[in-house]
Amino acid sequence: MRVPLSWLREYVDLPAGETGRDVAAKLVDAGLEVETVEQLGGGLKGPLVVGQVLTIEELEGFRKPIRFCTVDVGQANGTGEPQEIVCGARNFAVGDKVVVVLPGAVLPGDFAIAARKTYGRTSHGMICSGDELGMGDDGTHGIIVLPHEHEVGTDAIELLQLVDEVLDIDITPDRGYCMSMRGVAREAATAYGLPLRDPALLDVPQPNSYGYPVKVDDPAGCDRFTARTVTGLDPDARSPIWLTRRLQKAGMRPISLAVDITNYVMLELGQPLHAYDRSSIDGAIGVRRAEQGEKFTTLDGVKRTLDAEDLVITDNSGPIGLAGVMGGANTEIADSVTDPETGQVTGTTDVVIEAAHFDSVSISRTARRLKLSSEASKRFERGVDPQAAAAAAQRTVDLLVLLAGGTAEAGVTEVLAPGAPRTVAMPADHPDRVAGMEYGRETVVRRLQEIGCDVYGQDELVVTVPSWRPDLAAPNDLAEEVIRLEGYGNLPSTLPQVPSGRGLTARQQLHRRVGRALAGAGYVEALSYPFIGEGVFDQLQLPAHDVARQVVKLVNPISDEEPALRTTLLPGLLGALRRNDSRGSHDLALFETGSVFRAAAQPGVAVRLPVDRRPTDEEIATLNAALPAQPRYAAVVLAGAREQAGWWGKGRPADWADAVQAARALAVEAGADLVVRQGQYGPWHPGRCAELVVTLRGVEQVIGHAGELHPRVVKAMGLPARTSAMEIDLDRLAAAGGEALQAPRIASFPVATQDVALIVDASVPASSVEAALRKGAGELLESLRLFDVFTGEQVGEGKKSLAYALRFRAADRTLTAEESTAARDAAVALAGERTGAVLRGA
């Protein structure tokens, strides 16, 4: 909501020296979010005056039309002689009143004006457009043509109200009443302790039986409908400058007088209105729900298909308006048209004014389903004062009579659904208990009265809520009003006392350790949305029966293209890698830890928990039972260079081994024994895929995969060549780790290193050989590392050589050579027994 300070002063007598920033500070203290204070006309310096075009000479020989004009500016130029000005605009004629800036002036943007030679003539100033003066869009994008009643030489800075301050306020959903000058003025009056001149306090005639006929078939959707008729409008009447400037400052474009007036009253009172061309209405006006599939063309010229939940305004021909959102093209106010032969102006002369109150939920659903957000729908969604409809209609009628020369018909239509003011019971000390400080009953009553409430009672208050505050529905809402008006800054600051002996859970600690380990290894954390589309499973080449394809779908997804909760972290991470690669970052290593969602075999139904009390244990258990399983996963993706080239060496590209090493690093953090062996699964290259295995309760379980992605997956997802990835189930990895990690013990005895090179069949996995070596080496083995893999004629066809470094150490003594050799021989013997390995060179 853009609030011009000059307009705000019309309703509240703000101190004379108060600036926009001062007012903004007061409103922020009152709980409003003032984003910016815009200085209009900053740096503007005259002379800027009204001039009248005397002559126009068309200059020839240029690429675009150029006109040499003489303009009467009165005594503003010091001589009284016509001012010679070169101008390229075409939307003015001889005799028109225009805005002229003379040499010596400075326009917004520090644009100094001086006499200069151009197109073979000397131009002494400029004829100005609205854009050049920072006025905003007036719909013409041309020269400002003023009404003829303004005298030549008049100061245009004051006439056009070019110097002002505008507060841009972000209105939160619970403050719908502040989407109007009336609402903001009420907040300003309260903040300054000043009286409010309420623009809605008008003399409104009583409803009678000879107003325009209206029938409301859905009182739940429309509980109030006011209709007024104005006839005899001058179709040639134009919006006055003060009206168009207020609209422009508030961020709206002037269109025509009737439309401008309805927009102006909406900004002033917060009540959306609509003006129908009476000659285009066929019979009585009705309000009903649309028929399923019914067609309707809105003011923007788009033919829309309606839903049975949509609320529409109708006549005998069908829909003429989408209630609370946008009017129809078939009853639009007609633009004035001048007959070139007779000079007669034709257009809309009779209008019917609609001021109604619609259900906020219904309007919100319609606007979102049709993707048609309007100024009217924004206000109805947040709540409009139903009591303001009659006043808004009267204000519109008064302005049409005043500015368009119309005549207000005596008929007044007002259809009302039965209703009563809302009341809320609240203990007088409830705000004290919520805020943790004592306000006292008098302060509570005074603050509630300031926002328009009627308050009765002593210890137990009965509060009648004003019609413009639909958000006040419970004692806590009233307490919040008292607290914000007393000042959030006055609340005491008390640090909570943390109970001793409590800290992060084991799961949280592992999550932190995993993040630190991966960050230390050069990975960058990337957080992605937990939503996916099912088409990504085809890109990942997952089998049709894969458990990852069993998704939980959202009823109201943010995007229709991603309606399901993720079952894997890879789509989000690979999408982040693709975006960064397309923007020039080719050497990438990203990671993410987060929940995935596994659909249950029998989906449960979530219960709606109460908000007026703590849910029972049974209700919480029922809700938890309906939720999908949410295990925590970790994943990494890599592409480009893993080690950069430089003076220190050639560097190397990221490959499948880096993805496997990331899994090993996580296993170290979890204290789990991770077995890495050759595997095959969906998105990974079948020859460069490792499955990650742990033993849980004596049973081996595959908890993830790592390696290089399949070329078809890389192509389908637009990824860099040789992209690698790893994904692992952190929860099952932690379960395999058992108890909390033990700090490493610093050995006091030396290590004994034994290297062995074993020849095995090429088909034997290195992990099988490693497992046999570990088992055979016994308790003296401290670590085991594969440091070389060799194939060639020396080892024979179909064979490979695996070289391992075995480190032996005893906790209580220095090992002898015989002990370490015996342990090595035992390890080699078991490896030979299980895998057929033989010592190379034996």
Side-chain angles (χ1 to χ4, degrees):
M1 178 69 187
R2 289 172 56 86
V3 179
L5 191 59
S6 59
W7 194 356
L8 185 63
R9 289 182 182 276
E10 197 169 287
Y11 311 116
V12 184
D13 290 327
L14 300 174
E18 206 76 350
T19 66
R21 295 191 178 278
D22 297 332
V23 176
K26 285 282 191 179
L27 294 179
V28 168
D29 288 342
L32 293 182
E33 298 180 11
V34 183
E35 294 191 336
T36 60
V37 179
E38 183 179 351
Q39 302 286 334
L40 300 184
L44 178 64
K45 176 184 175 184
L48 186 73
V49 298
V50 176
Q52 185 170 24
V53 180
L54 301 178
T55 65
I56 298 177
E57 177 187 351
E58 302 288 345
L59 302 182
E60 304 293 338
F62 301 102
R63 293 183 181 178
K64 61 180 181 179
I66 298 297
R67 311 167 100 185
F68 181 68
C69 311
T70 59
V71 185
D72 179 13
V73 295
Q75 297 299 317
N77 57 4
T79 64
E81 296 294 323
Q83 201 78 2
E84 296 179 339
I85 299 175
V86 175
C87 184
R90 313 288 297 174
N91 69 313
F92 64 97
V94 172
D96 282 345
K97 298 287 182 68
V98 294
V99 178
V100 179
V101 57
L102 301 177
V106 179
L107 294 183
D110 199 26
F111 180 33
I113 303 300
R116 63 189 183 94
K117 190 170 184 178
T118 180
Y119 298 103
R121 303 295 179 94
T122 301
S123 181
H124 299 274
M126 283 174 54
I127 301 175
C128 297
S129 68
D131 289 337
E132 290 164 337
L133 298 179
M135 294 173 58
D137 182 16
D138 62 358
T140 65
H141 299 290
I143 293 302
I144 301 171
V145 178
L146 300 171
H148 286 283
E149 62 265 20
H150 297 293
E151 295 185 6
V152 169
T154 302
D155 182 7
I157 295 178
E158 182 177 351
L159 176 67
L160 299 178
Q161 305 172 21
L162 296 179
V163 179
D164 202 350
E165 293 181 276
V166 178
L167 282 65
D168 193 350
I169 305 176
D170 184 15
I171 306 299
T172 53
D174 61 329
R175 295 293 183 85
Y177 67 98
C178 284
M179 293 194 74
S180 67
M181 294 300 303
R182 180 194 185 201
V184 176
R186 178 175 282 108
E187 291 297 316
T190 302
Y192 279 94
L194 297 171
L196 168 71
R197 288 188 289 274
D198 191 344
L201 296 180
L202 301 174
D203 291 330
V204 179
Q206 293 297 314
N208 49 57
S209 59
Y210 42 93
Y212 198 91
V214 174
K215 181 182 179 182
V216 177
D217 293 334
D218 191 338
C222 175
D223 59 4
R224 182 181 294 261
F225 195 107
T226 301
R228 301 290 299 275
T229 304
V230 181
T231 60
L233 301 179
D234 180 4
D236 196 32
R238 297 291 181 268
S239 300
I241 291 175
W242 66 266
L243 178 58
T244 60
R245 287 298 294 135
R246 284 189 171 179
L247 290 177
Q248 287 175 325
K249 292 176 184 179
M252 302 189 74
R253 180 172 63 88
I255 298 174
S256 63
L257 179 57
V259 176
D260 291 350
I261 288 175
T262 58
N263 286 337
Y264 176 82
V265 175
M266 177 184 68
L267 291 172
E268 184 179 50
L269 301 181
Q271 169 67 53
L273 301 110
H274 190 71
Y276 300 94
D277 187 331
R278 183 176 179 179
S279 64
S280 301
I281 304 177
D282 180 11
I285 292 176
V287 183
R288 62 169 171 82
R289 297 288 174 175
E291 298 175 5
Q292 186 67 38
E294 192 170 12
K295 306 293 184 181
F296 173 61
T297 303
T298 47
L299 278 174
D300 55 3
V302 178
K303 190 172 185 179
R304 305 181 186 276
T305 302
L306 303 182
D307 186 86
E309 288 190 356
D310 296 334
L311 203 62
V312 292
I313 312 299
T314 65
D315 64 4
N316 292 339
S317 65
I320 61 174
L322 196 56
V325 180
M326 186 175 287
N330 51 345
T331 57
E332 183 180 7
I333 300 296
D335 294 332
S336 60
V337 178
T338 303
D339 190 314
E341 295 182 0
T342 64
Q344 183 177 0
V345 180
T346 58
T348 298
T349 58
D350 301 339
V351 298
V352 177
I353 306 300
E354 166 207 308
H357 184 261
F358 301 111
D359 174 55
S360 60
V361 174
S362 176
I363 302 305
S364 176
R365 288 176 176 170
T366 296
R368 280 162 173 72
R369 188 181 60 80
L370 295 176
K371 297 180 174 60
L372 186 63
S373 179
S374 64
E375 291 293 333
S377 68
K378 291 176 185 176
R379 285 165 171 79
F380 279 121
E381 288 172 8
R382 289 164 172 79
V384 169
D385 181 5
Q387 301 292 339
Q394 182 63 44
R395 178 70 164 144
T396 304
V397 168
D398 292 343
L399 289 173
L400 285 171
V401 171
L402 176 66
L403 302 177
T407 300
E409 289 193 351
V412 178
T413 303
E414 191 162 29
V415 180
L416 298 177
R422 288 178 296 110
T423 60
V424 179
M426 179 186 73
D429 63 346
H430 183 66
D432 301 8
R433 290 186 281 113
V434 171
M437 63 180 297
E438 185 176 350
Y439 292 120
R441 180 188 177 280
E442 291 185 3
T443 299
V444 170
V445 171
R446 174 172 57 83
R447 289 303 190 183
L448 292 177
Q449 289 174 340
E450 285 177 354
I451 64 172
C453 296
D454 291 329
V455 186
Y456 304 95
Q458 292 298 319
D459 294 337
E460 189 74 17
L461 302 180
V462 178
V463 182
T464 302
V465 177
S467 58
W468 59 84
R469 292 300 302 271
D471 58 302
L472 302 182
N476 283 342
D477 300 327
L478 300 177
E480 180 185 357
E481 292 298 298
V482 174
I483 295 168
R484 76 173 180 89
L485 293 178
E486 283 294 304
Y488 291 121
N490 296 325
L491 293 176
S493 297
T494 305
L495 291 176
Q497 298 295 321
V498 180
S500 60
R502 297 184 183 179
L504 299 179
T505 65
R507 193 169 188 252
Q508 292 169 331
Q509 290 173 345
L510 176 61
H511 184 206
R512 287 196 176 184
R513 291 200 306 272
V514 164
R516 289 173 181 151
L518 292 176
Y523 291 86
V524 176
E525 186 171 17
L527 300 179
S528 57
Y529 285 113
F531 312 115
I532 57 173
E534 293 182 83
V536 75
F537 299 132
D538 295 329
Q539 294 179 323
L540 293 175
Q541 298 192 25
L542 296 183
H545 61 276
D546 196 286
V547 67
R549 288 183 176 269
Q550 300 173 14
V551 297
V552 178
K553 291 189 176 180
L554 301 172
V555 176
N556 54 343
I558 295 177
S559 169
D560 293 336
E561 296 178 355
E562 296 180 329
L565 292 172
R566 67 188 178 192
T567 56
T568 168
L569 301 180
L570 290 182
L573 266 184
L574 293 174
L577 183 139
R578 180 179 60 248
R579 284 191 299 273
N580 282 276
D581 180 74
S582 68
R583 295 170 184 172
S585 297
H586 303 302
D587 304 325
L588 296 162
L590 308 177
F591 84 92
E592 181 176 9
T593 59
S595 297
V596 300
F597 304 85
R598 300 295 189 188
Q602 295 294 331
V605 178
V607 297
R608 188 182 295 276
L609 296 181
V611 296
D612 58 340
R613 59 175 174 80
R614 182 192 180 278
T616 64
D617 293 340
E618 291 76 12
E619 289 171 332
I620 296 175
T622 302
L623 178 63
N624 289 334
L627 297 178
Q630 301 175 44
R632 185 176 291 275
Y633 273 40
V636 304
V637 293
L638 305 98
R642 184 62 173 146
E643 296 178 2
Q644 295 290 338
W647 58 265
W648 52 85
K650 295 181 180 179
R652 69 172 183 87
D655 61 15
W656 63 269
D658 294 301
V660 173
Q661 183 56 35
R664 293 186 186 277
L666 301 192
V668 170
E669 296 299 328
D673 292 328
L674 184 70
V675 176
V676 179
R677 63 192 182 199
Q678 186 174 2
Q680 185 172 343
Y681 179 66
W684 280 276
H685 192 295
R688 299 168 190 152
C689 173
E691 63 181 18
L692 310 174
V693 181
V694 295
T695 300
L696 284 172
R697 293 178 293 277
V699 179
E700 284 192 346
Q701 296 187 20
V702 178
I703 64 170
H705 293 83
E708 182 180 318
L709 295 183
H710 198 289
R712 285 199 290 267
V713 174
V714 169
K715 181 179 179 180
M717 303 191 74
L719 302 172
R722 311 302 291 269
T723 297
S724 298
M726 180 277 294
E727 185 172 38
I728 194 169
D729 186 333
L730 270 186
D731 286 346
R732 286 197 285 172
L733 182 67
E739 300 297 329
L741 289 178
Q742 297 295 322
R745 182 176 56 84
I746 305 300
S748 56
F749 295 96
V751 67
T753 302
Q754 295 276 1
D755 293 345
V756 295
L758 303 176
I759 297 176
V760 296
D761 290 339
S763 60
V764 175
S767 59
S768 299
V769 179
E770 179 179 327
L773 289 173
R774 286 185 183 277
K775 182 71 174 176
E779 296 181 354
L780 294 179
L781 181 66
E782 182 178 81
S783 67
L784 173 66
R785 180 172 62 88
L786 175 66
F787 66 87
D788 184 54
V789 178
F790 176 75
T791 58
E793 295 180 359
Q794 293 89 333
V795 297
E797 184 177 353
K799 301 289 185 178
K800 62 182 176 182
S801 172
L802 304 176
Y804 292 91
L806 293 81
R807 291 167 56 93
F808 298 97
R809 195 192 314 257
D812 57 349
R813 68 189 187 282
T814 299
L815 292 177
T816 65
E818 290 78 10
E819 287 178 306
S820 62
T821 301
R824 180 202 66 183
D825 293 342
V828 171
L830 188 59
E833 179 184 334
R834 291 188 174 182
T835 66
V838 295
L839 278 173
R840 185 175 175 182

